[in-house]
Amino acid sequence: MTKIEINGAQLTYDEAGSGSVVVLLHAGIADRRMWREQVPALAARHRVIVPDLRGYGESELPPTPFAHHDDVLGLLDALGVERAALVGCSFGGRVAVDTALAHPERISALALFGAPVSGHEWSEETEQLWEELVGDVDPEDFTATAAGEVRFWVVGPTRRPTDVDPELIRFAEEMDRWALAAEQALSAIEVGELDPPAVDRLGDLRMPVLAAAGAHDLPDVHRLADRIAAEAPHGTRLPNVPDAAHLVPLERPEPVNAALLDFLP
Protein backbone atom coordinates (compact mmCIF):
# COMPACT_ATOMS: atom_id res chain seq x y z
CA MET A 1 0.00 0.00 0.00
CA THR A 2 1.28 3.45 -0.97
CA LYS A 3 -0.21 6.91 -0.51
CA ILE A 4 0.37 9.71 -2.99
CA GLU A 5 -0.97 13.24 -3.29
CA ILE A 6 -3.12 13.71 -6.39
CA ASN A 7 -4.88 17.01 -7.07
CA GLY A 8 -4.78 17.92 -3.38
CA ALA A 9 -5.91 14.54 -2.01
CA GLN A 10 -4.01 11.60 -0.58
CA LEU A 11 -4.92 8.57 -2.70
CA THR A 12 -4.00 5.03 -1.71
CA TYR A 13 -2.88 2.50 -4.30
CA ASP A 14 -1.17 -0.86 -4.67
CA GLU A 15 1.40 -1.64 -7.36
CA ALA A 16 2.91 -4.87 -8.64
CA GLY A 17 4.81 -6.21 -11.64
CA SER A 18 6.53 -4.56 -14.56
CA GLY A 19 5.82 -3.98 -18.23
CA SER A 20 3.06 -2.04 -19.93
CA VAL A 21 0.86 -0.25 -17.40
CA VAL A 22 -2.63 -1.39 -16.43
CA VAL A 23 -4.79 0.59 -13.97
CA LEU A 24 -7.65 -1.27 -12.26
CA LEU A 25 -10.63 0.90 -11.22
CA HIS A 26 -13.06 -0.57 -8.70
CA ALA A 27 -16.86 -0.65 -8.58
CA GLY A 28 -18.88 1.89 -6.64
CA ILE A 29 -19.97 -0.79 -4.17
CA ALA A 30 -16.37 -1.86 -3.58
CA ASP A 31 -12.79 -0.68 -3.24
CA ARG A 32 -9.42 -1.73 -4.61
CA ARG A 33 -9.63 -5.08 -2.78
CA MET A 34 -12.08 -6.35 -5.39
CA TRP A 35 -9.12 -6.85 -7.77
CA ARG A 36 -7.30 -9.27 -5.45
CA GLU A 37 -7.48 -12.11 -8.02
CA GLN A 38 -6.39 -9.98 -10.99
CA VAL A 39 -3.24 -8.41 -9.55
CA PRO A 40 -1.04 -11.54 -9.37
CA ALA A 41 -2.26 -12.80 -12.74
CA LEU A 42 -1.64 -9.52 -14.57
CA ALA A 43 1.57 -8.61 -12.73
CA ALA A 44 3.38 -11.47 -14.46
CA ARG A 45 3.27 -9.38 -17.64
CA HIS A 46 2.24 -5.84 -16.68
CA ARG A 47 2.89 -3.04 -14.22
CA VAL A 48 -0.42 -3.12 -12.35
CA ILE A 49 -1.65 -0.05 -10.44
CA VAL A 50 -4.73 -0.42 -8.25
CA PRO A 51 -6.04 2.76 -6.59
CA ASP A 52 -8.87 3.47 -4.24
CA LEU A 53 -10.84 6.24 -5.95
CA ARG A 54 -11.06 9.44 -3.96
CA GLY A 55 -13.16 9.00 -0.84
CA TYR A 56 -13.30 5.21 -1.18
CA GLY A 57 -11.33 2.59 0.72
CA GLU A 58 -8.25 4.20 2.21
CA SER A 59 -8.17 7.30 -0.03
CA GLU A 60 -9.09 10.61 1.55
CA LEU A 61 -11.75 13.12 0.52
CA PRO A 62 -10.81 16.78 1.02
CA PRO A 63 -13.83 19.13 0.78
CA THR A 64 -12.77 20.63 -2.55
CA PRO A 65 -14.26 20.16 -6.04
CA PHE A 66 -12.68 17.42 -8.16
CA ALA A 67 -13.42 14.90 -10.91
CA HIS A 68 -12.59 11.20 -10.70
CA HIS A 69 -11.30 11.11 -14.29
CA ASP A 70 -8.89 13.97 -13.52
CA ASP A 71 -7.63 12.02 -10.51
CA VAL A 72 -6.84 9.07 -12.78
CA LEU A 73 -4.81 11.35 -15.05
CA GLY A 74 -3.12 12.87 -12.01
CA LEU A 75 -2.16 9.40 -10.80
CA LEU A 76 -0.59 8.59 -14.18
CA ASP A 77 1.32 11.87 -14.14
CA ALA A 78 2.55 11.40 -10.57
CA LEU A 79 3.80 7.90 -11.34
CA GLY A 80 5.48 8.93 -14.59
CA VAL A 81 3.17 6.86 -16.77
CA GLU A 82 2.79 8.15 -20.33
CA ARG A 83 0.10 5.67 -21.45
CA ALA A 84 -1.92 3.04 -19.66
CA ALA A 85 -4.70 0.57 -20.24
CA LEU A 86 -7.69 1.06 -17.94
CA VAL A 87 -9.74 -1.83 -16.58
CA GLY A 88 -12.94 -0.79 -14.86
CA CYS A 89 -15.82 -2.59 -13.18
CA SER A 90 -19.21 -0.88 -12.76
CA PHE A 91 -18.59 2.72 -11.59
CA GLY A 92 -14.89 2.19 -12.21
CA GLY A 93 -15.78 1.44 -15.83
CA ARG A 94 -17.66 4.72 -16.04
CA VAL A 95 -14.59 6.55 -14.69
CA ALA A 96 -12.40 4.69 -17.19
CA VAL A 97 -14.57 5.73 -20.14
CA ASP A 98 -14.67 9.36 -18.95
CA THR A 99 -10.88 9.35 -18.57
CA ALA A 100 -10.41 7.92 -22.07
CA LEU A 101 -12.68 10.59 -23.57
CA ALA A 102 -11.11 13.45 -21.60
CA HIS A 103 -7.50 12.32 -22.17
CA PRO A 104 -7.51 9.94 -25.16
CA GLU A 105 -3.81 10.29 -25.90
CA ARG A 106 -2.98 8.75 -22.51
CA ILE A 107 -5.14 5.62 -22.70
CA SER A 108 -3.99 2.62 -24.74
CA ALA A 109 -7.00 0.32 -24.17
CA LEU A 110 -10.21 -0.04 -22.15
CA ALA A 111 -11.61 -3.22 -20.60
CA LEU A 112 -15.04 -2.71 -19.07
CA PHE A 113 -17.01 -5.10 -16.86
CA GLY A 114 -20.62 -4.20 -16.10
CA ALA A 115 -19.89 -0.58 -16.88
CA PRO A 116 -22.46 2.20 -17.03
CA VAL A 117 -21.48 5.41 -18.83
CA SER A 118 -21.95 9.02 -17.78
CA GLY A 119 -25.25 10.40 -19.02
CA HIS A 120 -26.96 7.00 -19.07
CA GLU A 121 -30.27 6.72 -17.23
CA TRP A 122 -31.42 3.43 -15.78
CA SER A 123 -34.61 2.02 -17.29
CA GLU A 124 -37.95 1.67 -15.58
CA GLU A 125 -37.33 -2.08 -15.72
CA THR A 126 -34.27 -1.66 -13.49
CA GLU A 127 -36.17 0.55 -11.07
CA GLN A 128 -38.92 -2.08 -10.84
CA LEU A 129 -36.36 -4.81 -10.21
CA TRP A 130 -34.95 -2.77 -7.34
CA GLU A 131 -38.40 -2.48 -5.79
CA GLU A 132 -39.02 -6.21 -6.18
CA LEU A 133 -35.64 -7.39 -4.88
CA VAL A 134 -34.78 -4.74 -2.28
CA GLY A 135 -37.65 -2.33 -1.66
CA ASP A 136 -37.31 0.53 0.82
CA VAL A 137 -34.22 0.60 3.02
CA ASP A 138 -33.07 3.28 5.44
CA PRO A 139 -30.15 5.04 3.71
CA GLU A 140 -28.64 5.81 7.11
CA ASP A 141 -28.49 2.10 7.93
CA PHE A 142 -25.35 1.09 6.06
CA THR A 143 -25.66 -2.56 7.07
CA ALA A 144 -29.18 -2.92 5.70
CA THR A 145 -28.41 -0.84 2.61
CA ALA A 146 -25.28 -2.85 1.85
CA ALA A 147 -27.25 -6.09 2.18
CA GLY A 148 -29.84 -4.74 -0.26
CA GLU A 149 -27.28 -3.50 -2.77
CA VAL A 150 -25.39 -6.79 -2.67
CA ARG A 151 -28.66 -8.67 -3.20
CA PHE A 152 -29.38 -6.49 -6.23
CA TRP A 153 -25.93 -6.26 -7.82
CA VAL A 154 -23.83 -9.18 -6.63
CA VAL A 155 -26.52 -11.86 -6.49
CA GLY A 156 -28.44 -10.35 -9.40
CA PRO A 157 -32.05 -10.58 -10.54
CA THR A 158 -31.94 -14.15 -11.85
CA ARG A 159 -30.37 -15.87 -8.83
CA ARG A 160 -31.19 -16.41 -5.17
CA PRO A 161 -28.70 -15.58 -2.41
CA THR A 162 -28.30 -19.30 -1.74
CA ASP A 163 -26.95 -19.68 -5.29
CA VAL A 164 -23.93 -17.51 -4.46
CA ASP A 165 -20.84 -18.25 -2.38
CA PRO A 166 -21.60 -16.89 1.11
CA GLU A 167 -18.02 -15.67 1.48
CA LEU A 168 -18.45 -13.54 -1.65
CA ILE A 169 -21.63 -12.04 -0.20
CA ARG A 170 -19.92 -11.36 3.15
CA PHE A 171 -16.91 -9.70 1.51
CA ALA A 172 -19.07 -7.65 -0.87
CA GLU A 173 -21.23 -6.40 2.00
CA GLU A 174 -18.10 -5.44 3.95
CA MET A 175 -16.73 -3.43 1.03
CA ASP A 176 -20.11 -1.85 0.34
CA ARG A 177 -20.50 -0.58 3.90
CA TRP A 178 -17.27 1.38 3.37
CA ALA A 179 -18.45 2.53 -0.05
CA LEU A 180 -21.77 3.78 1.32
CA ALA A 181 -19.92 5.95 3.82
CA ALA A 182 -17.83 7.27 0.93
CA GLU A 183 -20.91 8.08 -1.15
CA GLN A 184 -22.52 9.90 1.76
CA ALA A 185 -19.41 12.08 2.11
CA LEU A 186 -19.15 12.58 -1.65
CA SER A 187 -22.72 13.90 -1.76
CA ALA A 188 -21.57 16.99 0.15
CA ILE A 189 -18.77 17.79 -2.31
CA GLU A 190 -18.82 19.10 -5.88
CA VAL A 191 -17.81 16.17 -8.05
CA GLY A 192 -17.13 17.21 -11.64
CA GLU A 193 -18.82 15.38 -14.50
CA LEU A 194 -17.58 14.88 -18.05
CA ASP A 195 -19.18 17.51 -20.30
CA PRO A 196 -20.66 16.46 -22.62
CA PRO A 197 -21.20 13.05 -21.01
CA ALA A 198 -20.00 9.79 -22.50
CA VAL A 199 -23.33 8.23 -23.48
CA ASP A 200 -23.42 9.92 -26.90
CA ARG A 201 -19.65 9.92 -27.44
CA LEU A 202 -18.81 6.23 -27.51
CA GLY A 203 -17.79 6.54 -31.14
CA ASP A 204 -14.91 8.76 -29.98
CA LEU A 205 -13.26 5.87 -28.13
CA ARG A 206 -10.54 5.18 -30.69
CA MET A 207 -8.51 2.75 -28.59
CA PRO A 208 -9.33 -1.00 -28.39
CA VAL A 209 -12.33 -1.51 -26.10
CA LEU A 210 -13.48 -4.76 -24.50
CA ALA A 211 -17.01 -4.75 -23.06
CA ALA A 212 -18.24 -7.54 -20.81
CA ALA A 213 -20.90 -8.40 -18.24
CA GLY A 214 -21.92 -11.23 -15.99
CA ALA A 215 -24.69 -13.50 -17.24
CA HIS A 216 -26.74 -12.77 -14.10
CA ASP A 217 -26.33 -8.99 -14.24
CA LEU A 218 -29.17 -6.58 -15.07
CA PRO A 219 -30.60 -6.47 -18.60
CA ASP A 220 -29.66 -2.78 -18.71
CA VAL A 221 -26.02 -3.71 -18.10
CA HIS A 222 -26.09 -6.29 -20.89
CA ARG A 223 -27.54 -3.71 -23.29
CA LEU A 224 -24.90 -1.17 -22.30
CA ALA A 225 -22.10 -3.65 -22.99
CA ASP A 226 -23.68 -4.35 -26.38
CA ARG A 227 -23.86 -0.64 -27.15
CA ILE A 228 -20.31 0.14 -26.05
CA ALA A 229 -18.90 -2.65 -28.19
CA ALA A 230 -21.03 -1.67 -31.19
CA GLU A 231 -20.31 2.07 -31.11
CA ALA A 232 -16.62 2.07 -30.18
CA PRO A 233 -14.77 1.76 -33.52
CA HIS A 234 -12.50 -0.96 -32.15
CA GLY A 235 -14.97 -2.47 -29.71
CA THR A 236 -15.25 -6.16 -28.83
CA ARG A 237 -18.11 -7.74 -26.90
CA LEU A 238 -17.00 -10.59 -24.66
CA PRO A 239 -19.76 -13.19 -24.25
CA ASN A 240 -21.58 -12.86 -20.96
CA VAL A 241 -19.54 -14.53 -18.23
CA PRO A 242 -21.48 -17.49 -16.77
CA ASP A 243 -22.13 -17.85 -13.04
CA ALA A 244 -21.52 -14.17 -12.31
CA ALA A 245 -23.47 -10.96 -11.83
CA HIS A 246 -22.07 -7.44 -11.38
CA LEU A 247 -18.68 -8.03 -9.71
CA VAL A 248 -17.46 -10.34 -12.46
CA PRO A 249 -13.70 -10.00 -11.76
CA LEU A 250 -14.21 -10.99 -8.13
CA GLU A 251 -16.72 -13.77 -8.69
CA ARG A 252 -15.22 -15.38 -11.82
CA PRO A 253 -11.53 -14.45 -11.88
CA GLU A 254 -10.33 -17.25 -14.14
CA PRO A 255 -12.21 -16.28 -17.35
CA VAL A 256 -11.72 -12.59 -16.58
CA ASN A 257 -7.96 -12.99 -16.18
CA ALA A 258 -7.75 -15.05 -19.37
CA ALA A 259 -9.71 -12.40 -21.31
CA LEU A 260 -7.57 -9.59 -19.94
CA LEU A 261 -4.28 -11.30 -20.68
CA ASP A 262 -5.47 -11.94 -24.22
CA PHE A 263 -6.74 -8.39 -24.71
CA LEU A 264 -4.32 -6.03 -22.94
CA PRO A 265 -1.45 -4.55 -24.96
Side-chain angles (χ1 to χ4, degrees), residues 103-148:
H103 310 287
E105 72 286 353
R106 304 293 296 276
I107 308 305
S108 60
L110 286 176
L112 309 170
F113 296 90
V117 292
S118 56
H120 170 262
E121 294 185 5
W122 297 107
S123 69
E124 184 177 334
E125 176 188 17
T126 292
E127 294 176 2
Q128 290 175 344
L129 282 170
W130 176 271
E131 290 301 317
E132 293 170 9
L133 296 174
V134 182
D136 292 330
V137 292
D138 180 359
E140 298 298 321
D141 186 341
F142 290 167
T143 297
T145 303

Short mmCIF file of all heavy atoms in Angstrom, two decimals, residues 103-148:
data_model
loop_
_atom_site.label_atom_id
_atom_site.label_comp_id
_atom_site.label_asym_id
_atom_site.label_seq_id
_atom_site.Cartn_x
_atom_site.Cartn_y
_atom_site.Cartn_z
N HIS A 103 -8.95 12.35 -21.95
CA HIS A 103 -7.50 12.32 -22.17
C HIS A 103 -7.14 11.14 -23.08
O HIS A 103 -6.40 10.24 -22.69
CB HIS A 103 -6.78 12.20 -20.83
CG HIS A 103 -7.23 13.18 -19.80
ND1 HIS A 103 -6.91 14.52 -19.86
CD2 HIS A 103 -8.01 13.02 -18.69
CE1 HIS A 103 -7.45 15.15 -18.82
NE2 HIS A 103 -8.13 14.27 -18.11
N PRO A 104 -7.66 11.13 -24.31
CA PRO A 104 -7.51 9.94 -25.16
C PRO A 104 -6.07 9.58 -25.49
O PRO A 104 -5.76 8.39 -25.70
CB PRO A 104 -8.30 10.30 -26.42
CG PRO A 104 -8.35 11.80 -26.43
CD PRO A 104 -8.41 12.20 -24.99
N GLU A 105 -5.20 10.56 -25.53
CA GLU A 105 -3.81 10.29 -25.90
C GLU A 105 -3.07 9.51 -24.81
O GLU A 105 -2.00 8.95 -25.08
CB GLU A 105 -3.08 11.61 -26.18
CG GLU A 105 -2.78 12.47 -24.97
CD GLU A 105 -3.98 13.20 -24.37
OE1 GLU A 105 -5.08 13.15 -24.97
OE2 GLU A 105 -3.81 13.82 -23.30
N ARG A 106 -3.66 9.41 -23.63
CA ARG A 106 -2.98 8.75 -22.51
C ARG A 106 -3.46 7.31 -22.26
O ARG A 106 -2.88 6.60 -21.45
CB ARG A 106 -3.19 9.57 -21.22
CG ARG A 106 -2.75 11.03 -21.32
CD ARG A 106 -1.25 11.14 -21.47
NE ARG A 106 -0.57 10.64 -20.29
CZ ARG A 106 -0.36 11.36 -19.18
NH1 ARG A 106 -0.79 12.62 -19.13
NH2 ARG A 106 0.29 10.84 -18.16
N ILE A 107 -4.51 6.92 -22.98
CA ILE A 107 -5.14 5.62 -22.70
C ILE A 107 -4.94 4.70 -23.90
O ILE A 107 -5.38 4.99 -25.01
CB ILE A 107 -6.64 5.78 -22.38
CG1 ILE A 107 -6.83 6.83 -21.27
CG2 ILE A 107 -7.24 4.45 -22.00
CD1 ILE A 107 -6.04 6.55 -19.99
N SER A 108 -4.32 3.54 -23.65
CA SER A 108 -3.99 2.62 -24.74
C SER A 108 -5.10 1.61 -25.01
O SER A 108 -5.20 1.08 -26.12
CB SER A 108 -2.70 1.88 -24.42
OG SER A 108 -2.82 1.14 -23.21
N ALA A 109 -5.93 1.31 -24.01
CA ALA A 109 -7.00 0.32 -24.17
C ALA A 109 -7.96 0.45 -22.99
O ALA A 109 -7.59 0.95 -21.92
CB ALA A 109 -6.44 -1.10 -24.24
N LEU A 110 -9.19 -0.03 -23.20
CA LEU A 110 -10.21 -0.04 -22.15
C LEU A 110 -10.80 -1.44 -22.06
O LEU A 110 -11.21 -2.00 -23.07
CB LEU A 110 -11.35 0.93 -22.48
CG LEU A 110 -11.15 2.43 -22.36
CD1 LEU A 110 -12.40 3.15 -22.85
CD2 LEU A 110 -10.85 2.80 -20.92
N ALA A 111 -10.88 -1.97 -20.85
CA ALA A 111 -11.61 -3.22 -20.60
C ALA A 111 -12.66 -2.93 -19.55
O ALA A 111 -12.32 -2.47 -18.45
CB ALA A 111 -10.66 -4.33 -20.14
N LEU A 112 -13.92 -3.17 -19.88
CA LEU A 112 -15.04 -2.71 -19.07
C LEU A 112 -15.92 -3.88 -18.67
O LEU A 112 -16.38 -4.63 -19.54
CB LEU A 112 -15.86 -1.68 -19.85
CG LEU A 112 -15.07 -0.52 -20.46
CD1 LEU A 112 -15.95 0.27 -21.41
CD2 LEU A 112 -14.48 0.37 -19.37
N PHE A 113 -16.18 -4.02 -17.38
CA PHE A 113 -17.01 -5.10 -16.86
C PHE A 113 -18.21 -4.49 -16.14
O PHE A 113 -18.06 -3.79 -15.15
CB PHE A 113 -16.21 -5.98 -15.90
CG PHE A 113 -15.07 -6.70 -16.56
CD1 PHE A 113 -13.81 -6.13 -16.63
CD2 PHE A 113 -15.27 -7.94 -17.13
CE1 PHE A 113 -12.76 -6.79 -17.26
CE2 PHE A 113 -14.23 -8.62 -17.77
CZ PHE A 113 -12.98 -8.04 -17.83
N GLY A 114 -19.41 -4.73 -16.71
CA GLY A 114 -20.62 -4.20 -16.10
C GLY A 114 -20.63 -2.70 -15.99
O GLY A 114 -21.13 -2.15 -15.00
N ALA A 115 -20.11 -2.02 -16.98
CA ALA A 115 -19.89 -0.58 -16.88
C ALA A 115 -21.10 0.23 -17.35
O ALA A 115 -21.57 0.03 -18.47
CB ALA A 115 -18.67 -0.18 -17.70
N PRO A 116 -21.57 1.16 -16.52
CA PRO A 116 -22.46 2.20 -17.03
C PRO A 116 -21.61 3.28 -17.70
O PRO A 116 -20.37 3.20 -17.68
CB PRO A 116 -23.13 2.75 -15.76
CG PRO A 116 -22.08 2.58 -14.72
CD PRO A 116 -21.30 1.33 -15.10
N VAL A 117 -22.22 4.28 -18.28
CA VAL A 117 -21.48 5.41 -18.83
C VAL A 117 -22.16 6.69 -18.39
O VAL A 117 -23.37 6.71 -18.15
CB VAL A 117 -21.38 5.36 -20.38
CG1 VAL A 117 -20.51 4.19 -20.82
CG2 VAL A 117 -22.75 5.27 -21.02
N SER A 118 -21.38 7.75 -18.24
CA SER A 118 -21.95 9.02 -17.78
C SER A 118 -23.02 9.49 -18.76
O SER A 118 -22.87 9.38 -19.98
CB SER A 118 -20.86 10.08 -17.63
OG SER A 118 -20.13 10.26 -18.83
N GLY A 119 -24.12 9.97 -18.22
CA GLY A 119 -25.25 10.40 -19.02
C GLY A 119 -26.30 9.34 -19.25
O GLY A 119 -27.40 9.64 -19.71
N HIS A 120 -25.98 8.08 -18.91
CA HIS A 120 -26.96 7.00 -19.07
C HIS A 120 -27.97 7.04 -17.93
O HIS A 120 -27.61 7.27 -16.77
CB HIS A 120 -26.25 5.65 -19.07
CG HIS A 120 -27.18 4.48 -18.97
ND1 HIS A 120 -27.45 3.83 -17.78
CD2 HIS A 120 -27.92 3.85 -19.92
CE1 HIS A 120 -28.30 2.85 -17.98
NE2 HIS A 120 -28.60 2.84 -19.28
N GLU A 121 -29.23 6.81 -18.24
CA GLU A 121 -30.27 6.72 -17.23
C GLU A 121 -30.80 5.30 -17.17
O GLU A 121 -31.09 4.69 -18.20
CB GLU A 121 -31.41 7.70 -17.55
CG GLU A 121 -30.99 9.16 -17.48
CD GLU A 121 -32.16 10.11 -17.67
OE1 GLU A 121 -33.31 9.62 -17.76
OE2 GLU A 121 -31.93 11.33 -17.72
N TRP A 122 -30.91 4.77 -15.94
CA TRP A 122 -31.42 3.43 -15.78
C TRP A 122 -32.87 3.34 -16.20
O TRP A 122 -33.64 4.30 -16.02
CB TRP A 122 -31.26 2.97 -14.33
CG TRP A 122 -29.83 2.89 -13.89
CD1 TRP A 122 -29.19 3.74 -13.05
CD2 TRP A 122 -28.87 1.90 -14.30
NE1 TRP A 122 -27.88 3.35 -12.89
CE2 TRP A 122 -27.65 2.23 -13.64
CE3 TRP A 122 -28.91 0.79 -15.13
CZ2 TRP A 122 -26.50 1.47 -13.81
CZ3 TRP A 122 -27.76 0.04 -15.29
CH2 TRP A 122 -26.57 0.37 -14.64
N SER A 123 -33.27 2.20 -16.76
CA SER A 123 -34.61 2.02 -17.29
C SER A 123 -35.62 1.82 -16.17
O SER A 123 -35.27 1.51 -15.01
CB SER A 123 -34.65 0.81 -18.23
OG SER A 123 -34.47 -0.39 -17.48
N GLU A 124 -36.88 1.96 -16.52
CA GLU A 124 -37.95 1.67 -15.58
C GLU A 124 -37.90 0.20 -15.15
O GLU A 124 -38.23 -0.13 -13.99
CB GLU A 124 -39.31 1.99 -16.21
CG GLU A 124 -40.49 1.80 -15.27
CD GLU A 124 -41.80 2.21 -15.90
OE1 GLU A 124 -41.78 3.05 -16.83
OE2 GLU A 124 -42.85 1.68 -15.48
N GLU A 125 -37.48 -0.67 -16.05
CA GLU A 125 -37.33 -2.08 -15.72
C GLU A 125 -36.37 -2.27 -14.55
O GLU A 125 -36.64 -3.05 -13.61
CB GLU A 125 -36.82 -2.85 -16.94
CG GLU A 125 -36.54 -4.32 -16.69
CD GLU A 125 -35.86 -4.98 -17.89
OE1 GLU A 125 -35.33 -4.26 -18.77
OE2 GLU A 125 -35.87 -6.22 -17.94
N THR A 126 -35.24 -1.55 -14.57
CA THR A 126 -34.27 -1.66 -13.49
C THR A 126 -34.84 -1.12 -12.19
O THR A 126 -34.65 -1.71 -11.12
CB THR A 126 -32.98 -0.91 -13.87
OG1 THR A 126 -32.34 -1.62 -14.95
CG2 THR A 126 -32.01 -0.82 -12.70
N GLU A 127 -35.55 -0.01 -12.27
CA GLU A 127 -36.17 0.55 -11.07
C GLU A 127 -37.19 -0.43 -10.47
O GLU A 127 -37.27 -0.59 -9.24
CB GLU A 127 -36.82 1.89 -11.39
CG GLU A 127 -35.81 2.97 -11.78
CD GLU A 127 -36.48 4.27 -12.20
OE1 GLU A 127 -37.73 4.34 -12.15
OE2 GLU A 127 -35.74 5.21 -12.57
N GLN A 128 -37.94 -1.10 -11.32
CA GLN A 128 -38.92 -2.08 -10.84
C GLN A 128 -38.23 -3.28 -10.20
O GLN A 128 -38.69 -3.81 -9.19
CB GLN A 128 -39.82 -2.52 -11.98
CG GLN A 128 -40.79 -1.44 -12.45
CD GLN A 128 -41.60 -1.85 -13.66
OE1 GLN A 128 -41.26 -2.82 -14.35
NE2 GLN A 128 -42.67 -1.13 -13.94
N LEU A 129 -37.11 -3.71 -10.79
CA LEU A 129 -36.36 -4.81 -10.21
C LEU A 129 -35.84 -4.45 -8.82
O LEU A 129 -35.85 -5.28 -7.90
CB LEU A 129 -35.19 -5.20 -11.12
CG LEU A 129 -35.52 -6.04 -12.34
CD1 LEU A 129 -34.32 -6.14 -13.27
CD2 LEU A 129 -35.96 -7.45 -11.92
N TRP A 130 -35.40 -3.21 -8.66
CA TRP A 130 -34.95 -2.77 -7.34
C TRP A 130 -36.09 -2.88 -6.32
O TRP A 130 -35.90 -3.39 -5.21
CB TRP A 130 -34.42 -1.35 -7.39
CG TRP A 130 -34.03 -0.82 -6.03
CD1 TRP A 130 -34.81 -0.17 -5.13
CD2 TRP A 130 -32.75 -0.95 -5.41
NE1 TRP A 130 -34.12 0.13 -3.99
CE2 TRP A 130 -32.84 -0.34 -4.13
CE3 TRP A 130 -31.53 -1.51 -5.81
CZ2 TRP A 130 -31.75 -0.27 -3.25
CZ3 TRP A 130 -30.44 -1.44 -4.93
CH2 TRP A 130 -30.57 -0.83 -3.67
N GLU A 131 -37.26 -2.42 -6.71
CA GLU A 131 -38.40 -2.48 -5.79
C GLU A 131 -38.74 -3.93 -5.44
O GLU A 131 -39.07 -4.24 -4.30
CB GLU A 131 -39.61 -1.79 -6.41
CG GLU A 131 -39.47 -0.28 -6.51
CD GLU A 131 -39.25 0.36 -5.15
OE1 GLU A 131 -39.93 -0.04 -4.18
OE2 GLU A 131 -38.37 1.25 -5.05
N GLU A 132 -38.67 -4.81 -6.42
CA GLU A 132 -39.02 -6.21 -6.18
C GLU A 132 -37.98 -6.93 -5.31
O GLU A 132 -38.34 -7.73 -4.43
CB GLU A 132 -39.14 -6.95 -7.52
CG GLU A 132 -40.32 -6.50 -8.38
CD GLU A 132 -40.25 -7.08 -9.78
OE1 GLU A 132 -39.39 -7.97 -10.01
OE2 GLU A 132 -41.03 -6.65 -10.64
N LEU A 133 -36.70 -6.65 -5.55
CA LEU A 133 -35.64 -7.39 -4.88
C LEU A 133 -35.20 -6.77 -3.56
O LEU A 133 -34.75 -7.48 -2.65
CB LEU A 133 -34.42 -7.52 -5.80
CG LEU A 133 -34.62 -8.32 -7.08
CD1 LEU A 133 -33.38 -8.23 -7.96
CD2 LEU A 133 -34.92 -9.78 -6.76
N VAL A 134 -35.31 -5.44 -3.45
CA VAL A 134 -34.78 -4.74 -2.28
C VAL A 134 -35.86 -3.96 -1.55
O VAL A 134 -36.03 -4.09 -0.34
CB VAL A 134 -33.63 -3.79 -2.69
CG1 VAL A 134 -33.05 -3.08 -1.47
CG2 VAL A 134 -32.55 -4.54 -3.45
N GLY A 135 -36.62 -3.15 -2.29
CA GLY A 135 -37.65 -2.33 -1.66
C GLY A 135 -37.05 -1.15 -0.92
O GLY A 135 -35.94 -0.69 -1.21
N ASP A 136 -37.76 -0.64 0.07
CA ASP A 136 -37.31 0.53 0.82
C ASP A 136 -36.32 0.11 1.90
O ASP A 136 -36.58 -0.81 2.68
CB ASP A 136 -38.51 1.24 1.48
CG ASP A 136 -39.43 1.88 0.45
OD1 ASP A 136 -38.92 2.29 -0.62
OD2 ASP A 136 -40.64 1.96 0.71
N VAL A 137 -35.19 0.79 1.93
CA VAL A 137 -34.22 0.60 3.02
C VAL A 137 -33.83 1.97 3.54
O VAL A 137 -33.86 2.97 2.82
CB VAL A 137 -32.96 -0.16 2.55
CG1 VAL A 137 -33.28 -1.60 2.21
CG2 VAL A 137 -32.31 0.53 1.35
N ASP A 138 -33.50 2.04 4.80
CA ASP A 138 -33.07 3.28 5.44
C ASP A 138 -31.66 3.62 4.96
O ASP A 138 -30.72 2.88 5.26
CB ASP A 138 -33.11 3.12 6.96
CG ASP A 138 -32.67 4.38 7.70
OD1 ASP A 138 -32.32 5.37 7.03
OD2 ASP A 138 -32.69 4.36 8.94
N PRO A 139 -31.48 4.73 4.23
CA PRO A 139 -30.15 5.04 3.71
C PRO A 139 -29.12 5.30 4.80
O PRO A 139 -27.91 5.26 4.54
CB PRO A 139 -30.39 6.28 2.85
CG PRO A 139 -31.66 6.88 3.36
CD PRO A 139 -32.49 5.73 3.82
N GLU A 140 -29.58 5.59 6.01
CA GLU A 140 -28.64 5.81 7.11
C GLU A 140 -28.18 4.49 7.74
O GLU A 140 -27.23 4.48 8.52
CB GLU A 140 -29.31 6.68 8.19
CG GLU A 140 -29.69 8.07 7.70
CD GLU A 140 -28.48 8.88 7.26
OE1 GLU A 140 -27.43 8.79 7.92
OE2 GLU A 140 -28.58 9.59 6.24
N ASP A 141 -28.86 3.41 7.41
CA ASP A 141 -28.49 2.10 7.93
C ASP A 141 -27.59 1.42 6.90
O ASP A 141 -28.06 0.73 6.00
CB ASP A 141 -29.75 1.27 8.18
CG ASP A 141 -29.47 -0.07 8.86
OD1 ASP A 141 -28.31 -0.52 8.80
OD2 ASP A 141 -30.41 -0.66 9.41
N PHE A 142 -26.29 1.60 7.06
CA PHE A 142 -25.35 1.09 6.06
C PHE A 142 -25.37 -0.43 5.98
O PHE A 142 -25.17 -1.01 4.90
CB PHE A 142 -23.93 1.57 6.35
CG PHE A 142 -23.71 3.04 6.13
CD1 PHE A 142 -22.57 3.66 6.60
CD2 PHE A 142 -24.64 3.81 5.46
CE1 PHE A 142 -22.35 5.01 6.39
CE2 PHE A 142 -24.44 5.17 5.24
CZ PHE A 142 -23.29 5.78 5.71
N THR A 143 -25.63 -1.11 7.09
CA THR A 143 -25.66 -2.56 7.07
C THR A 143 -26.82 -3.08 6.23
O THR A 143 -26.66 -3.95 5.37
CB THR A 143 -25.75 -3.12 8.50
OG1 THR A 143 -24.57 -2.72 9.22
CG2 THR A 143 -25.86 -4.64 8.49
N ALA A 144 -28.01 -2.50 6.47
CA ALA A 144 -29.18 -2.92 5.70
C ALA A 144 -29.06 -2.52 4.24
O ALA A 144 -29.43 -3.28 3.33
CB ALA A 144 -30.44 -2.33 6.31
N THR A 145 -28.55 -1.31 3.98
CA THR A 145 -28.41 -0.84 2.61
C THR A 145 -27.39 -1.69 1.85
O THR A 145 -27.60 -2.05 0.69
CB THR A 145 -28.00 0.63 2.58
OG1 THR A 145 -28.97 1.41 3.30
CG2 THR A 145 -27.92 1.15 1.15
N ALA A 146 -26.29 -2.01 2.51
CA ALA A 146 -25.28 -2.85 1.85
C ALA A 146 -25.85 -4.23 1.52
O ALA A 146 -25.61 -4.76 0.44
CB ALA A 146 -24.04 -2.99 2.74
N ALA A 147 -26.63 -4.80 2.45
CA ALA A 147 -27.25 -6.09 2.18
C ALA A 147 -28.18 -6.01 0.98
O ALA A 147 -28.21 -6.91 0.12
CB ALA A 147 -28.00 -6.59 3.41
N GLY A 148 -28.95 -4.91 0.88
CA GLY A 148 -29.84 -4.74 -0.26
C GLY A 148 -29.09 -4.55 -1.56
O GLY A 148 -29.45 -5.15 -2.59
#
